[in-house]
Amino acid sequence: VIKCKAAVAWEAGKPLSIEEVEVAPPKAHEVRIKIVATAVCHTDAYTLSGADPEGCFPVILGHEGAGIVESVGEGVTKVKKGDTVIPLYIPQCGECKFCKNPKTNLCQKIRITQGKGVMPDGTSRFTCKGKQIYHFMGTSTFSEYTVVADISVAKIDAAAPLDKVCLLGCGISTGYGAAVNTAKVEPGSTCAVFGLGGVGLAVIMGCKIAGASRIIGVDINKDKYAKAKEFGATECISPQDSKKPIQEVLVEMTDGGVDYSFECIGNVGVMRAALEACHKGWGVSVIVGVAAAGQEISTRPFQLVTGRTWKGTAFGGWKSVDNVPKLVTEYMSKKIKVDEFVTHTLPFDKINEAFELMHSGK
């Protein structure tokens, strides 16, 4: 058993608490990882807020991490002690019908136990003050050591800077993949990206790499426009600058609507606007943001009858074990940006400040 620091969420709506936790050794087909760096994501904040129906407490959150394999359980063959890895919240077992189907990346092998906050055998590897602590998204990267299933880990280039590539565990991969895998943005096309946080910037990067000629960033926070343009946005607009609905503004700006739109916020009203900003006959709108539980999307069926397509994406459609190492290689060869997404680097015990910076849009 390893004793180490972790940021524990004891209950919903309260700040994270830095505690000493015990991390049990990995069982069969499990891997224990020394986490070197982790990022914070709105998904962690969503669960912490208490709005997540799958949220269980007390829990160690975090799902954008990178580290070094400390030890492996019986039967683990893909990674060994000392390997550099990224934990994966969407695993890839290679055996389930989802993994065997090239149309999806949604491996279901450990979905049920992962959703309940436990390892595949139904138990937790974390304890604190004598209490069992739940796992989160199969990763729990807000701990100096974590235990994950062996199908939830990608071995990456040992030379990669872990304080940067941890972002490929969720946000950057999700946005980039939404553009290149889910939407399949084409050269010369026009795109609109709603929400210019980390995921939205990654979508912009993907659209630019795919050869889009016009990329319109949409956000009410104008402080984000300069960064969006760095990543490839050709222009940025705020829905608050016009009395007309934003979809009407975009349709007028683009002679009938955009070819591709992306919702990167998790707001069902914005999801509708993103669809309705698409061009009749061929426009494709991709939902990337995760809306709160129980919310529903709506539009007039005529929008779809007249040739628009509504799609969703999870982790950018990447089959995780196969593709995360390739994304790291693309970063190392400067094909995709990662460093530019990092605004602040804080010590682990300042994790609550990191959440405040994220909430304030900084």
Side-chain angles (χ1 to χ4, degrees):
V1 174
I2 289 177
K3 288 187 176 180
C4 68
K5 279 197 302 189
V8 176
W10 288 106
E11 56 184 300
K14 295 277 170 71
L16 301 178
S17 176
I18 302 291
E19 306 279 3
E20 182 181 80
V21 298
E22 293 88 43
V23 184
K27 295 189 183 179
H29 295 287
E30 295 178 1
V31 179
R32 187 159 60 181
I33 302 167
K34 180 185 200 310
I35 297 288
V36 174
T38 184
V40 297
C41 172
H42 277 283
T43 310
D44 304 306
Y46 168 62
T47 298
L48 186 59
S49 75
D52 181 357
E54 273 198 345
C56 19
F57 295 88
V59 64
I60 294 173
L61 299 169
H63 64 282
E64 290 184 325
I68 311 292
V69 174
E70 178 273 333
S71 58
V72 300
E74 191 188 329
V76 175
T77 56
K78 298 270 173 70
V79 294
K80 62 185 188 301
K81 181 176 178 172
D83 282 350
T84 304
V85 294
I86 289 177
L88 308 167
Y89 72 91
I90 293 183
Q92 186 187 348
C93 71
E95 295 164 0
C96 70
K97 69 178 180 182
F98 289 79
C99 281
K100 286 180 174 168
N101 190 321
K103 294 177 181 173
T104 185
N105 61 332
L106 295 173
C107 173
Q108 296 295 294
K109 183 80 177 273
I110 59 173
R111 176 74 200 96
I112 291 168
T113 49
Q114 181 171 315
K116 289 178 178 167
V118 290
M119 294 299 288
D121 72 346
T123 63
S124 168
R125 301 291 161 269
F126 298 119
T127 48
C128 181
K129 299 178 179 173
K131 286 187 181 154
Q132 171 181 286
I133 308 291
Y134 287 109
H135 294 248
F136 178 68
M137 289 176 75
T139 52
S140 290
T141 60
F142 293 172
S143 175
E144 291 178 324
Y145 287 86
T146 190
V147 178
V148 304
D150 63 353
I151 58 171
S152 302
V153 62
K155 181 182 172 182
I156 62 161
D157 183 343
L162 301 186
D163 60 332
K164 305 294 193 292
V165 296
C166 60
L167 289 167
L168 293 169
C170 177
I172 297 178
S173 305
T174 297
Y176 177 46
V180 299
N181 297 331
T182 310
K184 297 185 167 63
V185 170
E186 295 159 319
S189 56
T190 298
C191 303
V193 180
F194 292 76
L196 302 176
V199 174
L201 294 175
V203 171
I204 290 172
M205 177 174 76
C207 291
K208 184 181 180 184
I209 289 170
S213 59
R214 194 173 179 192
I215 304 167
I216 305 165
V218 184
D219 202 302
I220 56 175
N221 182 350
K222 294 186 177 180
D223 294 341
K224 298 193 169 189
Y225 292 179
K227 197 81 164 172
K229 286 175 181 169
E230 267 176 55
F231 278 87
T234 52
E235 63 219 278
C236 295
I237 57 173
S238 168
Q240 296 176 338
D241 284 352
S242 172
K243 292 199 170 74
K244 291 180 183 169
I246 187 67
Q247 53 267 55
E248 285 182 29
V249 174
L250 284 160
V251 166
E252 283 174 16
M253 282 172 68
T254 57
D255 185 28
V258 298
D259 302 310
Y260 301 97
S261 71
F262 301 85
E263 198 280 353
C264 307
I265 302 161
N267 178 313
V268 292
V270 178
M271 290 172 190
R272 177 174 189 161
L275 176 80
E276 295 177 359
C278 281
H279 202 288
K280 183 188 287 190
W282 63 77
V284 174
S285 186
V286 181
I287 293 173
V288 193
V290 178
Q295 296 197 323
E296 297 183 354
I297 47 172
S298 62
T299 189
R300 294 200 175 100
F302 193 69
Q303 292 283 334
L304 300 173
V305 172
T306 49
R308 294 171 191 81
T309 304
W310 224 343
K311 301 180 92 166
T313 187
F315 195 54
W318 302 108
K319 286 197 184 270
S320 57
V321 173
D322 291 345
N323 286 298
V324 167
K326 292 177 185 169
L327 289 165
V328 171
T329 302
E330 285 194 1
Y331 157 65
M332 300 292 277
S333 62
K334 298 198 161 42
K335 185 191 169 187
I336 61 172
K337 296 179 195 275
V338 173
D339 298 17
E340 293 82 354
F341 285 87
V342 180
T343 55
H344 298 76
T345 304
L346 302 169
F348 183 39
D349 52 16
K350 297 261 172 74
I351 191 161
N352 288 309
E353 282 181 35
F355 276 96
E356 285 163 25
L357 286 163
M358 180 175 69
H359 286 307
S360 64
K362 296 192 173 94

